Amino acid sequence: MAADKQTLLDYYRKMVLIRRFEETMEEHAKKGYIPGFLHLGIGQEAAQVGTMATFAPGDYVLPDHRSHGVCLMVGTPTREVMAEIFGKKTGTNGGRGGSMHVADFKRGNVGNNAIQGSTMATACGLALAAQVKKTKAVTFNFIGDGTVGRGEFHESLNLAGIWKLPIVYVLVNNGYAISTRATDAHPLADLAKMGCAYNVPGITVDGNDVEAVHAAAKEATDRARRGEGATIIELKTYRWQGHFSGDPASYRPEEEVKTWKEKCPIRRLRDTLLQRKLADMAALKAIENDVEREIQDALKFSIDSPAPTIEDALTFVYVGREVTGK
Amino acid sequence: MAADKQTLLDYYRKMVLIRRFEETMEEHAKKGYIPGFLHLGIGQEAAQVGTMATFAPGDYVLPDHRSHGVCLMVGTPTREVMAEIFGKKTGTNGGRGGSMHVADFKRGNVGNNAIQGSTMATACGLALAAQVKKTKAVTFNFIGDGTVGRGEFHESLNLAGIWKLPIVYVLVNNGYAISTRATDAHPLADLAKMGCAYNVPGITVDGNDVEAVHAAAKEATDRARRGEGATIIELKTYRWQGHFSGDPASYRPEEEVKTWKEKCPIRRLRDTLLQRKLADMAALKAIENDVEREIQDALKFSIDSPAPTIEDALTFVYVGREVTGK
Amino acid sequence: MRTLNFKEALNEALHQEMTSDSRVIVLGEDVARMGGDFGVTMGLLDKFGRDRVRDTPLSEAAIIGAANGAAFCGLRPVAEIMFADFITECYDQLVNNSAKARYMFNGQVMAPIVVRTSSGAGFRAAYHHSQNIEAWFLNIPGLTIVAPSTPHDAKGLLIGAIRDDNPVIFLEHKMLYGTTGEVPEEPYALPIGVAEVKRPGTDVTIVASMKQLHYALAAAERLASEEEISCEVIDLRTLKPFDKATILSSVKKTGRVVLVNEAPKTGSINAEIAAVIMEEAFRDLSAPVERVNSLDVPVGFAPVLEDYVIPGPADITMAVRKVIDY
Amino acid sequence: MRTLNFKEALNEALHQEMTSDSRVIVLGEDVARMGGDFGVTMGLLDKFGRDRVRDTPLSEAAIIGAANGAAFCGLRPVAEIMFADFITECYDQLVNNSAKARYMFNGQVMAPIVVRTSSGAGFRAAYHHSQNIEAWFLNIPGLTIVAPSTPHDAKGLLIGAIRDDNPVIFLEHKMLYGTTGEVPEEPYALPIGVAEVKRPGTDVTIVASMKQLHYALAAAERLASEEEISCEVIDLRTLKPFDKATILSSVKKTGRVVLVNEAPKTGSINAEIAAVIMEEAFRDLSAPVERVNSLDVPVGFAPVLEDYVIPGPADITMAVRKVIDY
Ligand SMILES: Cc1ncc(C[n+]2csc(CCOP(=O)(O)OP(=O)(O)O)c2C)c(N)n1
Ligand SMILES: Cc1ncc(C[n+]2csc(CCOP(=O)(O)OP(=O)(O)O)c2C)c(N)n1
Ligand SMILES: [Mg+2]
Ligand SMILES: [Mg+2]
């Protein structure tokens, strides 16, 4: 069933938002505004948007380190995500987390943990809580192809398998873990098939086709919501930039990058919209302009916002126990 | 291809040796001779003997915590294994290791590590060394059904899958991890099938049928020896005693224990020998008597041997760096 | 007053807290059907059902991850790690997730988990079932470590730990499970971070915890009756953060200090306590602080090795004499 | 003499050792094709081939397990854990396997592995890419921890670590990779366990390592020129076991000590050094030993937080004045 016009236009807006968000981050990282590591999701917008389209209030998501886009999808204002990446007090984490730890608990974003695979253990607990509290909450656990190597992948899937945990494992297979090819790191080409060891179904789809991504995510989410347990959805895609902003990524052939850029998920959706006559160029341009205003607003907000202060370094270490400063 | 007479009689001797070894250990643990935990392999003799029949000089084995029998199979004198369990200076580890850490490196027994699953990571290195040094060594890695839950299971199999490591994973499925049923801990009934996630073939066999065990082990060992990589062989069996000597094991139905005792691997092999007319009762009795002499000799040796001394506590912490005592 | 043993006191604490607070759940290996390897969780499954009392696979990372995730959702998980030595397998979850969650996410969330685990030597169980692990976590801000030495404190501190909003590692010295003492029937919470003067004295301050506390009391008794040395014995009860005030006010009085801890000397919590005493009470000291610890070696199997390596009352007596004679 | 940076010095050490000793192999994430996340293993794959230089999947436990196993077979593995914070994921392998193998198996085997890892703060990379981990291993007998502060020592200590027969954790402070200095071309091994007096002095002993060593030297320089305070600065170089003799002989001279370490204060290696100084040089001390450390909080993202939390030259200067003015 093809998605309707409104849905597709909504996807379009979101994908453009993520793209522009990431481009803006990259630009400002180069200019020296953004401290630390910046892992960009350019090229992976369909995977992020299509999956998160099935996220409902009350659900939980554990984004990964390449998931600014996912953080935007739970409804956190773009300003707050961006300000966090700038390390500002107005960010989701008050500037304490940065790019790798953006969290917004009240909207279900439980935050990333920069130890790859660690969130897979956490996911079990979010899903367990849903069972204990008898809610219908589904947990979305984003991981990359590289992260599949970690022991927690196994411990989490095994537990999800026996306890029928309501988890959607969103396995974004962009072909690389830093320089290591997925095909050099794992014996199977389709990583979703690894669910076979746990009686957890796996679906592999073209991660640049937002409709296909959404269909797979919906199947998985519905299954989880019905209490039938976890699913792995593997989204085959590509990251256009290096591993982090600044990585020249000389470990991969230029030809490969070029091929994948031709498969741009945003261009693809635009073509679909135009072909199906659901929008004309003017309508799309209007969306893009609207996104641009949002980005520029967030950027100004992020640049203008104050940094945390040294007092902030001493709060929230413990609940109810003070820590002394200098 | 049925095994020949000499082979089967050899299996018989070894299985009786393990049985009597374990019974003797249990008896002396109850009498207070043996400190610490004692995990007995009674009922699992066919799994241990059938597998280790394919072990060749130069190979490595990582026994598990229920593997006194496996330790005997590499050719370590029974006395030395037993003395180790008694904590005596004449034991394989000088009495420093005990039941859970019996090792005999020169014969390829690399020792158990009482952290379940830990040896699965070590196994990768033994196998890697074989590749680097271009030997034909195969690594036998014994684990239980419970240990399958650990993250290292995954990290090890994944690595074995991509590097085609010469490892035989000997998965002794005795149905329980302490009180936890294998079927409550893992989604698949046949755990060998978990190899599907790693392109590692899995074979499930009746672990009480020493010929079947040997056939599976041979297939796996040959594969590894040919450089074709790892195999999981799952041996379905049962431990007759509690998890450790002294555990009443009230978590499992008596009926179940009874059924499995009827499937005694030793009785089964005896029946085979008699039916195929490869031995008569007198011949078997002679073997049993011979085993008994070996056990009694080892027992006397173990009881008579001296304990380590306090000086022993200070050696082998570091190579080339002293540690001070009291 | 009624007498219970240490294990029963812990069990009662769990029963009472699970009854009064439906957010409390229990998970771990063999905690449900069997009631725990040491019997601490007996009867919970029957009373509170499978949703709240869960046997897990042999997956320590998933256990602590699940506890974290459930805690993020408002539950109060009590996780059991069967032996403290196995906490290595979930070290990441504790260090990088539980300890930092509140800080990293700017106070958006708490991780009120309790990780119960059996620690300490004396069981004749060698390297991987004998370690004292508190020092492994001492340098991790955000964690709390509680360690009772009597049945009374076991109950009160476990209730205190469950009600505490921080992640707590709760150490149960395995040689104390069978020790008995008076325990009030009603639920009561003892404060975290507060030591107790177990025996007042004027000449020397002895600081100890868990099993060593009893050795310290025995040594103090002997020194009082045989050598007229008056020792003040402090039971730390919370190892991190420890109660500086109680220690320092005792040191002010005595000017001589013996610190007792069962872990190897180098880098144990005694080092930190000694450093703090030097910093804050240098002028009060009449002698350097003495540390009584295990030798800097692993815990071997043969009883003679373990007994030599682990400190006993005689070591404490000697240390007291040393600070007196300085 | 020729000048290299820290990274190049390490790289040269690896090239030279791999050339002269065919037992040396290198494994880790992205060490082969990419030459390491920080470039330390560049060129090794091309020169020594796939057998000896291996990219692994994202599997820290398997990396260290494989290193252990290969070491048991006589190889000399140099494993890379990309960021020290990830060592949590192989903590078990190091603590329960590498550290104890020789002792547990009664000297039958050695585990001469080197675990190189980038540690320390300053990279603006927050919680999981900034930690100083030495204290996590301080209480583990059997381990050795080496931590160079100059390119010269980086090369010599790495060669020394590779040739050492014990498991060595080799810390590379990530803020030092770009620092330059004179480095001899020929291979040379510096001794493990030996500190170096970097600057002689008479008033105060400063003990530091890695990045903080440079801060200590800067502070000493300033104190000398501006306040006529003469500081003796000791570079620890090996953190475990540390060089007591060099420290104590300096303390004998100065009677005043400042210990500098980048980890949080509570339970850092400074605690142990302070305790040892008190034990062995109590009468030499004119003031309590001062500890300069991070605050007892995690390392947050925004630069202001990190800069406040991590110690700098000013903190050292203040501490020196404090011990002088005592
Ligand atoms: C436990 C751990 N090991 C290593 C790393 C370093 N690291 C960060 S991202 C990454 C690659 C992840 O690859 P993948 O999961 O495919 O995600 P991608 O970057 O492709 O989105 C690595 C190795 C880490 N953060 N955590
Ligand atoms: C990491 C770790 N977790 C838990 C334990 C405690 N433990 C020892 S044996 C065992 C059960 C193992 O079950 P299985 O692998 O099936 O072997 P079996 O005892 O049945 O032979 C457990 C939980 C351990 N030793 N190590
Ligand atoms: Mg990837
Ligand atoms: Mg079992």
Side-chain angles (χ1 to χ4, degrees), chain A residues 99-145:
Chain A
S99 164
M100 286 188 284
H101 301 286
V102 176
D104 185 352
F105 277 75
K106 67 180 174 302
R107 293 188 178 88
N109 172 2
V110 179
N112 179 37
N113 179 310
I115 311 293
Q116 296 298 326
S118 179
T119 63
M120 300 195 75
T122 314
C124 295
L126 303 171
L128 167 62
Q131 287 184 340
V132 173
K133 295 161 82 179
K134 305 203 190 323
T135 72
K136 291 278 173 204
V138 171
T139 293
F140 293 74
N141 191 176
F142 278 77
I143 58 164
D145 50 282

Side-chain angles (χ1 to χ4, degrees), chain A residues 144-146 172-177:
Chain A
D145 50 282
V172 181
N173 186 345
N174 59 15
Y176 286 88

Side-chain angles (χ1 to χ4, degrees), chain B residues 65-66 114 116 144-147 174 176-177 243, chain C residues 29 58 60 86:
Chain B
H65 60 291
R66 204 175 295 292
Q116 296 298 326
D145 49 282
T147 304
N174 59 14
Y176 287 88
H243 172 64
Chain C
E29 292 157 20
L58 218 162
E60 283 77 11
F86 313 158

